[in-house]
Amino acid sequence: MSAPGEKAASELPQRLWLNGRVLEGRKDFERALENASEQERPVLEFGLRWCSDEPEMVLHTSGSTGRPKEIRAKKICMAASARMTVRRLGLRAGDTALLCLPMDYIAGQMVVVRSMLAGLRLVARRPSRRPFEDLARAPDFAALVPLQVLSTLEHEAERSLLAATREVLIGGAAVDRALAARLASFPNRLWSSYGMTETLSHIALRPLSGPRAGVWYEPLEGVRVSSSPRGTLAVSAPAVGVSLIETNDLVVFEPGSDRFRVLGRTDNVIDSGGIKVPAEALEELIGTVLESPFAIAPLPDPELGNSVAIVVEGTPDLPLPDFRALLRGAGLSPYWKPRSAVFVERLPRTRTGKLDRTALREAARSAPGRFRRAL
């Protein structure tokens, strides 16, 4: 039974403008499936599930920090999440929305829900690294992962379309310092999003462009955040069905404010001989001087338990920065210095573009000796 003021699942909007066609209700989605294109089919299949009388949807986590799992989410909560985003971004009926994320996960699904709730004109594309390729004009709204943004920046015409997109959400993985610096001068509004499948997409946004660009995430309306006894972020968002959830993300709060900065995940802290090395903080620092894609991973060590390794896309002759000098210049512990480098053809990532930390650790451990270098 729905709470007071809530709509039943069957009463939620079911009208979708998809690639130039207006579909409304189960029968329209079924008919459209008969001759659907490759990029439209997963949208229509999602639409059928949304139009059913079932009050919940089955969602899947990305598996970036462990095994993927199923989560059941109320449709009314997904609709509430969509409204929060629409209000924050000022999206209006008739705006165009680019869908270029996989429909297997919450990020892509919520683009569709926002489109139905706000009357957006959905442009569905096959997920790829270059979502603006062959687009004739910029959409009003787009949700991307950092890999897509990086690829877009390498092509002038596509970069121009990105800059002309009024509202851009970047999520699924962290936006590092180097990428944030490249986006800071863009004329449109770009946001780094913070959230997870359990919170039905993002619950906070960090401005990446404009006068408010910086490191602080700003909670959406109706979201309460605090610090847990472990120093991790705790989230309460009743509208999306989250009474209280404690994350594994270490955070600091801006004094006197609910704006927060993410330092890294507790499960990505490497204990090396008693020295706690936060992998993500070290990656952020190294990313200011190393252009090749890389990540920090632990390697088993008979003396230290674990040693710090840098896993780099490239060959063993690739020049690396002076890590000791870099740490000294940043006022950080010299014991954070990577003791070895492992070279791989490509860093392992999930389908949503997140770094797959579990696969990364295995790749670091199993790399042949000729692809390793002592530092």
Side-chain angles (χ1 to χ4, degrees), residues 166-229:
R166 194 176 79 232
E167 303 285 339
V168 180
L169 284 178
I170 306 175
V175 175
D176 62 26
R177 185 186 302 177
L179 178 56
R182 297 177 69 180
L183 300 175
S185 61
F186 269 55
N188 54 336
R189 299 209 303 177
L190 298 103
W191 309 85
S192 172
S193 64
Y194 177 88
M196 59 207 77
T197 307
E198 291 85 347
T199 59
L200 307 183
S201 187
H202 50 267
I203 51 86
L205 298 176
R206 172 165 69 99
L208 295 172
S209 60
R212 290 169 39 234
V215 299
W216 302 103
Y217 283 97
E218 304 168 355
L220 298 182
E221 181 184 356
V223 175
R224 295 187 297 275
V225 291
S226 59
S227 182
S228 75

Side-chain angles (χ1 to χ4, degrees), residues 243-302:
S243 55
L244 183 67
I245 183 172
E246 182 181 329
T247 73
N248 286 322
D249 291 313
L250 297 164
V251 294
V252 293
F253 281 85
E254 183 183 43
S257 169
D258 63 353
R259 301 204 307 169
F260 62 92
R261 179 180 183 180
V262 179
L263 302 178
R265 291 181 62 88
T266 56
D267 44 8
N268 292 334
V269 173
I270 301 170
D271 187 339
S272 182
I275 302 295
K276 301 295 191 294
V277 182
E280 288 149 306
L282 182 55
E283 288 166 353
E284 184 176 1
L285 175 64
I286 295 174
T288 62
V289 295
L290 181 60
E291 294 185 0
S292 300
F294 74 94
I296 297 296
L299 278 179
D301 187 285

Side-chain angles (χ1 to χ4, degrees), residues 49-130:
R49 295 194 299 274
W50 180 264
C51 292
S52 75
D53 291 331
E54 290 294 322
E56 295 180 332
M57 300 283 280
V58 176
L59 311 178
H60 297 88
T61 62
S62 64
S64 57
T65 58
R67 293 189 62 181
K69 59 182 178 180
E70 285 190 356
I71 294 174
R72 302 192 72 86
K74 291 183 178 179
K75 293 176 182 176
I76 52 175
C77 292
M78 295 174 72
S81 173
R83 292 188 184 97
M84 289 161 59
T85 301
V86 166
R87 284 195 294 266
R88 172 60 68 88
L89 301 186
L91 299 177
R92 303 179 294 269
D95 283 348
T96 51
L98 176 63
L99 173 62
C100 54
L101 299 173
M103 284 297 296
D104 309 64
Y105 302 108
I106 188 67
Q109 293 168 2
M110 287 305 299
V111 174
V112 179
V113 177
R114 292 176 201 127
S115 297
M116 285 191 281
L117 267 289
L120 308 181
R121 296 170 178 257
L122 191 66
V123 179
R125 302 291 302 275
R126 182 179 61 84
S128 74
R129 289 195 174 209
R130 296 175 59 185

Side-chain angles (χ1 to χ4, degrees), residues 231-246:
T232 59
L233 186 70
V235 178
S236 174
V240 299
V242 175
S243 55
L244 183 67
I245 183 172
E246 182 181 329

